Amino acid sequence: MNFDFTKWQACGNDFVLVNTFDNIDAEKIAEIIKQSPKICDRHFGVGADGVIFILPSTIADFRMQIINSDGSEAEMCGNGIRCFAKCVYEAGLTTKTKFTVETGAGIIIPEIMPDGTVHVDMGEPVLEADKIPVDGFKNNHVIDEDITVDGKTYKMTCVSMGNPHCIIFVDDIKKIDLEKIGPKFETHSVFPKKTNTEFVEIKNDEYVRMRVWERGAGITWACGTGSCATLVACVLNNKTKRKTQIELDGGILTIEWNKESNHIYMTGPATKVFTATWND
Ligand code: ZDP
C-alpha cells in the first residue's frame, strides 16, 4: 500500500498527517487505520504518537480524524489540531488562516497567527461525570476525589475536552513513575472509555509542570487536550489563574479558560518535519 504523508510535531507530540483530498478513498483510509500501529512504531515504522486524517465535512470547513498509535480512535487531539491547521493551509486547501474543523469534540476553531503559532478555540470543558465518562462517584462533578491505584490513594479531578482526562496534583513530579502507574490509571475500572492521565506539579499560579500518560499512546512529550484539562482542574481546585503556562516534556503551551464565553483557548507551536511516501 502506498500513500503520501507529512510528518508533523507539536511540542514533541508527533503525527503522520494524511491529506485525503489527495486521492485517498474510504477503502485506503480503512487500510491506513489498520496499519497505524505499524506506521506509528518507532523502530519498524515512521514513528508517531498518532495518525491524523484531513477530511471533507458537511458542517465545517474540514473534518479531523485521529487514530492513536495503538490503532484506537480518539475524539479530539489538541496538539494534532495545530498541526492539522498548518498542514491544511500549506497544502492550499484553504486561503483562510482561521477556519472550522469538525471533530469528535464538536467544532473546533484554529487560527494560524502571524508568528507561526496556532491559537485554538477548544470549546467548553465538560465536567459532568456521565459525559466524561467516569463511574462510581455520587457527585455530578469529580473534583478532588479519591482514587486508589496500585494500592496508593490519589486525589483526582476529571475533565473531558471531548476526550477523557484525569488530573492528579503531585508535590514532586520527578517522583512519579509514569511508565508504571500510567497504564493502571488508563485501564482503571472507573473509566468506561479508559482515560488520559496528567500528573501536575504547581510551580506558581501562572506556571505548572505537567507529564502525561495518554490513552492508546502511552507517555508522549505533550498533550494539548490534556493541557486544557489541566488548566481547568487547576482553576477548579484554586491552584492557578485562568490563564497559565503548562510546561510539558517537549515544550510550553499557554492555556486560558475565558470566564465570559466558558471556552478554552490554547496557543502553541506546530512544525512540519518531512514529507514522504509510505510503501508497504
Ligand atoms: O484521548 C486520547 O485517546 C488521546 N491519546 C488522543 C490524543 C491527544 C493528544 N495528545 C492531544 O494533544 O490532545 C494528541
Side-chain angles (χ1 to χ4, degrees):
M1 181 192 51
N2 289 337
F3 67 94
D4 294 336
F5 66 92
T6 45
K7 173 86 193 285
W8 288 75
Q9 63 86 12
C11 296
N13 195 193
D14 58 347
F15 307 99
V16 164
L17 269 83
V18 181
N19 176 4
T20 69
F21 289 86
D22 210 9
N23 252 327
I24 296 184
D25 62 11
E27 206 179 313
K28 197 158 216 177
I29 292 172
E31 188 56 36
I32 297 170
I33 291 175
K34 219 160 75 201
Q35 287 205 27
S36 56
K38 188 169 159 194
I39 294 165
C40 290
D41 190 284
R42 296 196 184 277
H43 302 284
F44 297 100
V46 178
D49 295 323
V51 176
I52 292 177
F53 294 96
I54 299 169
L55 298 152
S57 170
T58 50
I59 56 168
D61 294 324
F62 300 99
R63 182 163 80 85
M64 176 174 85
Q65 186 180 15
I66 155 109
I67 308 297
N68 286 315
S69 53
D70 75 349
S72 63
E73 182 167 354
E75 301 85 348
M76 213 337 239
C77 177
N79 288 321
I81 201 150
R82 297 200 313 279
C83 299
F84 183 101
K86 288 182 82 167
C87 187
V88 159
Y89 187 81
E90 269 193 22
L93 296 174
T94 182
T95 53
K96 293 192 278 187
T97 51
K98 182 178 183 178
F99 46 86
T100 54
V101 183
E102 177 188 353
T103 74
I107 307 267
I108 305 291
I109 309 171
E111 179 176 6
I112 303 164
M113 307 307 281
D115 68 357
T117 60
V118 185
H119 180 73
V120 188
D121 180 343
M122 297 282 285
E124 299 184 52
V126 174
L127 302 176
E128 289 78 20
D130 58 327
K131 290 190 188 148
I132 293 173
V134 197
D135 289 342
F137 293 89
K138 59 179 191 309
N139 294 331
N140 193 24
H141 292 176
V142 181
I143 300 171
D144 201 29
E145 295 277 2
D146 285 352
I147 181 168
T148 302
V149 176
D150 214 13
K152 192 172 171 218
T153 301
Y154 301 81
K155 290 280 184 195
M156 74 166 176
T157 295
C158 295
V159 178
S160 167
M161 288 304 304
N163 53 354
H165 294 273
C166 150
I167 294 93
I168 311 284
F169 294 106
V170 297
D171 293 333
D172 184 356
I173 207 156
K174 288 189 220 68
K175 292 203 178 122
I176 296 298
D177 188 348
L178 204 51
E179 195 93 49
K180 180 162 170 263
I181 61 169
K184 296 191 171 150
F185 274 91
E186 180 181 1
T187 56
H188 194 288
S189 60
V190 298
F191 303 114
K193 289 194 177 164
K194 301 191 183 172
T195 193
N196 297 286
T197 306
E198 285 79 25
F199 295 90
V200 181
E201 181 183 326
I202 306 292
K203 299 286 190 187
N204 63 51
D205 67 2
E206 292 173 304
Y207 197 93
V208 307
R209 176 75 175 96
M210 185 270 269
R211 295 197 71 211
V212 62
W213 177 271
E214 275 190 39
R215 176 184 68 169
I219 294 174
T220 62
W221 283 28
C223 181
T225 50
S227 299
C228 296
T230 294
L231 187 263
V232 171
C234 285
V235 171
L236 292 173
N237 289 281
N238 298 314
K239 293 194 184 283
T240 67
K241 295 185 178 152
R242 297 185 78 100
K243 184 172 181 180
T244 288
Q245 287 192 306
I246 316 279
E247 184 197 320
L248 306 142
D249 289 1
I252 296 175
L253 293 176
T254 303
I255 315 288
E256 180 186 2
W257 186 8
N258 186 276
K259 206 168 188 165
E260 285 72 46
S261 67
N262 196 38
H263 282 223
I264 308 281
Y265 299 92
M266 168 188 69
T267 308
T271 307
K272 184 162 84 183
V273 187
F274 62 84
T275 302
T277 305
W278 176 263
N279 201 329
D280 187 19

